[in-house]
């Protein structure tokens, strides 16, 4: 046995004779966290590194619950799954302590918040869910999926349907009413920008040419139009925003407009990740006057841009306004023309849900040998893969939400864990040790048949049934 100190001036007792460095690091991180304050932590002889928490950890805590350290399964995503930050989409494998867009199932709203934990764990394969109609998820077997029920019973049907179970169910019955929801409302304060200026910024992004001058607080912005409808709309927007301009007609009959813009104005729309849902609705309305097409006969709308980051913003704006939008990519024919860039089309769809009957399922190997996830305060967060946005479950905290409990009472936590968190149940055929548990506070509370099972489960992972429900997690 050896001892390990922590920042709370307490001692962690480690009863293992040998233990790997990764396990020591996990123990130290947990002991130095707020969870470790006033906790009595002892590490068992068979301890080894686990998924976020060392296997063989025992601790006594009085007034805290840390669900992401309960259970042995860590549901996660592959390295190429994207999560949304306030500056844009990034791969989950490249996450670096930013706020991400989390989702509250009860209010159907999303907002930016720092996750409670970031998880990276070994993984050898994933379940790949893909549909041409807008679903693309790469999930580990135990990942928690947020399932929507369609047809007659609209609403969330299952909260922690594991990816492996969904995979098996689909193979047995392809006629299913299950679906993944791809849209949500946005809970966010408004940017300090007027509605009129939002429309001007869209125009600048689409057709403006900005010339910056480091010595001046304002930048020169020029527009060159040939279509009369654009000329008239540009004038109207600038006048509504109280922006002065000058213009003249070129020799070829085209029209030039010059004005000044604040130096921080650019052609990028990334600032609108921090806009409100109402402001994003204005953004959607304005883009179709510039870089969009509307087919009224087929009720089809499409936005086109050579800037992928702007296409991403427009897709996000649609999602928070109840419209599932996909992104298609058009590569130029380099053998015929070298002057055209890759084009990204954001197209609206008629359904905000993607049904499982339309999906293809397969198991694929992990590309980097790892899986990634978060623990969030709501139990869910927003993801995107191959330009397909969807909502998915996190690792850990959702167990309290499933039980319908905002604050989990200690006297029912054990039953919640048993019913909703996967855990080991193996026991030995007979007791093969001579440990004395009579000094444990909870031992006298157990029935004889439970004592027998507890004695036979020592040495197995997660099979024990000795719980001090009032103090131990």
């Amino acid at each position: 046995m050896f001892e390990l100190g922590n920042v709370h001036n307490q001692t962690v007792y480690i009863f293992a004779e040998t233990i790997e460095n990764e396990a020591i690091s996990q123990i130290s991180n947990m002991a130095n966290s707020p969870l470790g304050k006033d906790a009595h932590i002892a590490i068992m002889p068979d301890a080894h590194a686990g998924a976020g928490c060392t296997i063989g950890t025992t601790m006594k805590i009085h007034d805290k619950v840390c669900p992401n350290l309960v259970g042995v399964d860590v549901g996660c995503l592959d390295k190429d799954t994207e999560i949304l930050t306030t500056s844009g989409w990034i791969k989950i494998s490249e996450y670096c302590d930013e706020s991400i867009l989390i989702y509250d199932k009860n209010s159907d709203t999303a907002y930016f918040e720092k996750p409670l934990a970031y998880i990276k764990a070994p993984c050898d394969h994933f379940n790949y869910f893909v549909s041409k109609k807008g679903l693309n998820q790469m999930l580990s077997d135990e990942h928690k999926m947020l399932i929507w029920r369609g047809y007659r019973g609209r609403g969330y049907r299952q909260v922690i349907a594991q990816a492996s179970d969904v995979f098996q169910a689909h193979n047995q019955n392809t006629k299913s009413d299950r679906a993944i929801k791809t849209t949500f409302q946005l809970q966010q304060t408004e940017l300090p920008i007027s509605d009129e200026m939002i429309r001007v910024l869209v125009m600048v992004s689409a057709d403006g040419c900005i010339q910056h001058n480091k010595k001046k607080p304002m930048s020169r912005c020029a527009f060159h139009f040939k279509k009369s409808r654009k000329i008239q709309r540009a004038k109207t927007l600038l006048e509504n925003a109280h922006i002065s301009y000058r213009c003249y007609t070129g020799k070829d009959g085209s029209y030039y407009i010059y004005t000044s813009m604040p130096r921080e104005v650019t052609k990028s729309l990334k600032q609108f990740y921090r806009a409100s849902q109402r402001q994003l609705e204005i953004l959607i309305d304005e883009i179709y006057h510039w870089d969009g097409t509307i087919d009224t006969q087929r009720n089809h709308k499409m936005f086109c841009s050579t800037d992928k980051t702007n296409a991403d913003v427009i897709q996000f704006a649609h999602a928070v306004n109840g419209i599932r939008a996909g992104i298609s990519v058009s590569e130029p024919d380099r053998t015929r023309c070298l002057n055209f860039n890759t084009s990204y089309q954001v197209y609206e769809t008629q359904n905000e849900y993607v049904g499982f009957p339309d999906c293809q399922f397969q198991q694929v190997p992990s590309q980097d040998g790892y899986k990634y996830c978060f623990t969030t305060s709501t139990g869910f967060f927003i993801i995107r893969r191959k330009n397909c946005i969807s909502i998915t479950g996190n690792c850990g905290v959702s167990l309290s939400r499933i039980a319908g409990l905002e604050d989990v009472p200690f006297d029912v936590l054990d039953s919640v864990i048993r019913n909703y968190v996967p855990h080991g149940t193996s026991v030995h055929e007979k007791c093969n040790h001579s440990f004395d548990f009579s000094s444990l506070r909870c031992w006298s509370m157990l029935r004889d048949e439970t004592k027998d099972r507890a004695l036979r489960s020592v040495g197995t992972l997660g099979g024990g049934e000795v719980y001090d429900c009032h103090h131990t997690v």
Side-chain angles (χ1 to χ4, degrees), residues 103-109 146 156 159 378 380 401:
Y103 177 75
D104 185 347
K105 179 180 72 71
N106 296 324
S107 61
D108 188 34
T109 58
L146 184 58
Y156 288 117
V159 178
T378 61
F380 306 95
R401 306 296 180 185

Side-chain angles (χ1 to χ4, degrees), residues 4 21 49 58 75 82-83 91 105 107 129 160 162 178 192 206 209 229 239 288 316 332 347 373 378 428 444 469:
L4 182 70
N21 290 333
T58 65
E82 296 175 298
I83 43 98
K91 291 183 178 181
K105 179 180 72 71
S107 61
F129 300 75
I160 58 165
Q162 294 187 356
R178 292 170 301 178
C209 178
R229 68 171 181 84
E239 291 168 3
Y288 290 114
F316 167 71
Y347 56 90
C373 201
T378 61
H428 297 296
S444 60
C469 300

Side-chain angles (χ1 to χ4, degrees), residues 417-457:
I417 293 172
R418 291 172 186 268
N419 291 332
Y420 296 104
V421 179
H423 60 280
T425 57
S426 59
V427 295
H428 297 296
E429 292 185 3
K430 61 180 181 178
C431 179
N432 56 6
H433 61 83
S434 58
F435 297 134
D436 182 11
F437 293 101
S438 59
S439 61
L440 293 178
R441 175 172 176 253
C442 62
W443 189 251
S444 60
M445 300 167 56
L446 299 179
R447 300 187 302 272
D448 289 340
E449 59 270 23
T450 305
K451 290 180 179 179
D452 176 69
R453 181 179 176 84
L455 290 171
R456 290 187 292 112
S457 69

